[in-house]
Amino acid sequence: EPEVTQTPSHQVTQMGQEVILRCVPISNHLYFYWYRQILGQKVEFLVSFYNNEISEKSEIFDDQFSVERPDGSNFTLKIRSTKLEDSAMYFCASSKETSGIYEQYFGPGTRLTVT
Amino acid sequence: SQQGEEDPQALSIQEGENATMNCSYKTSINNLQWYRQNSGRGLVHLILIRSNEREKHSGRLRVTLDTSKKSSSLLITASRAADTASYFCATEYGQNFVFGPGTRLSVLP
């Protein structure tokens, strides 16, 4: 069964450094998403992406964040200058539209630790 | 806020018992999904129920949806210790999903 994959599974970085989290969505999906979950808290929407541009973003997704689909398979989230509070689990998801329904499939997540 | 809210926040039961978790939301939705998350792990999709459906089953899971009350319930029958996890409802608004804070279920052997 096709699945969303994410790399790395765990990333440790120092405050102020740039990180890029990578995702490979399901191949025939056209909609892509990033979510964040701070330890012990709920899953929060960051951004959605369709047709090579951002469809919607939350207030969390500030200028420090950017997304890109550099080729036909990868979908990346970049954090330019990480802060301690960026430490979280980051989930990628993808979906396709079927009769107006979007069924999202989530990757296993990347745990980001900022020290 | 459009988010779903689960209750209870935490639930502790004995193995073999049934566990019921509820989710309420605020505006019209296209569908609602339930996810499980083991501690520190990824999200596992359990079941999706569409806005025109009232009940859905999958193995030991039973999900109901009451659009008039804007609520859904997840029932796990004959619970097992391996069911211990956090359970989230996610409501779809257009293309995006909004997650509730989750219910932490502990199934004691």
Side-chain angles (χ1 to χ4, degrees):
Chain A
E1 186 175 326
E3 57 183 18
V4 177
T5 59
Q6 290 184 243
T7 55
S9 56
H10 190 190
Q11 173 92 44
V12 181
T13 189
Q14 289 191 325
M15 197 167 52
Q17 295 294 306
E18 174 184 285
V19 293
I20 297 176
L21 309 183
R22 291 183 167 80
C23 168
V24 178
I26 294 173
S27 61
N28 63 346
H29 286 186
L30 299 178
Y31 301 87
F32 314 113
Y33 313 82
W34 283 101
Y35 291 80
R36 179 183 83 176
Q37 185 185 33
I38 294 171
L39 186 64
Q41 298 187 25
K42 65 185 181 191
V43 178
E44 300 173 290
F45 168 74
L46 291 178
V47 66
S48 59
F49 191 87
Y50 171 71
N51 200 26
N52 282 320
E53 59 182 32
I54 290 173
S55 307
E56 192 169 337
K57 59 182 181 179
S58 71
E59 59 189 24
I60 303 168
F61 194 87
D62 60 23
D63 292 343
Q64 293 286 83
F65 292 90
S66 62
V67 289
E68 194 177 31
R69 188 155 163 81
D71 53 42
S73 59
N74 290 283
F75 179 52
T76 62
L77 174 69
K78 181 193 290 186
I79 308 175
R80 288 192 185 81
S81 178
T82 50
K83 309 183 189 85
L84 293 175
E85 54 265 36
D86 292 328
S87 294
M89 184 80 96
Y90 289 82
F91 294 103
C92 172
S94 70
S95 72
K96 62 178 181 179
E97 183 265 332
T98 305
S99 302
I101 303 293
Y102 298 85
E103 297 184 16
Q104 290 193 359
Y105 293 81
F106 282 81
T110 292
R111 179 172 298 285
L112 176 65
T113 302
V114 182
T115 61
Chain B
S1 166
Q2 296 171 323
Q3 73 182 68
E5 295 280 345
E6 293 95 340
D7 81 87
Q9 290 186 337
L11 179 62
S12 186
I13 58 174
Q14 294 294 130
E15 208 165 21
E17 294 180 338
N18 296 341
T20 299
M21 290 160 272
N22 303 297
C23 169
S24 59
Y25 55 92
K26 295 185 179 176
T27 63
S28 297
I29 58 172
N30 295 320
N31 66 66
L32 184 146
Q33 300 185 34
W34 284 90
Y35 289 85
R36 185 184 72 219
Q37 185 182 38
N38 289 71
S39 180
R41 306 293 295 274
L43 296 164
V44 175
H45 180 261
L46 294 176
I47 200 163
L48 176 148
I49 186 164
R50 296 185 169 84
S51 58
N52 61 352
E53 297 175 314
R54 292 296 167 258
E55 187 171 312
K56 209 160 180 182
H57 296 256
S58 176
R60 293 184 295 112
L61 305 181
R62 173 176 164 254
V63 168
T64 62
L65 180 65
D66 187 334
T67 53
S68 66
K69 294 181 180 177
K70 293 186 171 56
S71 67
S72 173
S73 68
L74 170 67
L75 168 68
I76 304 174
T77 60
S79 63
R80 304 167 183 166
D83 295 328
T84 295
S86 290
Y87 291 83
F88 298 89
C89 69
T91 44
E92 182 204 331
Y93 298 97
Q95 296 178 30
N96 301 324
F97 281 77
V98 178
F99 284 80
T103 292
R104 290 187 310 278
L105 174 66
S106 298
V107 181
L108 307 174

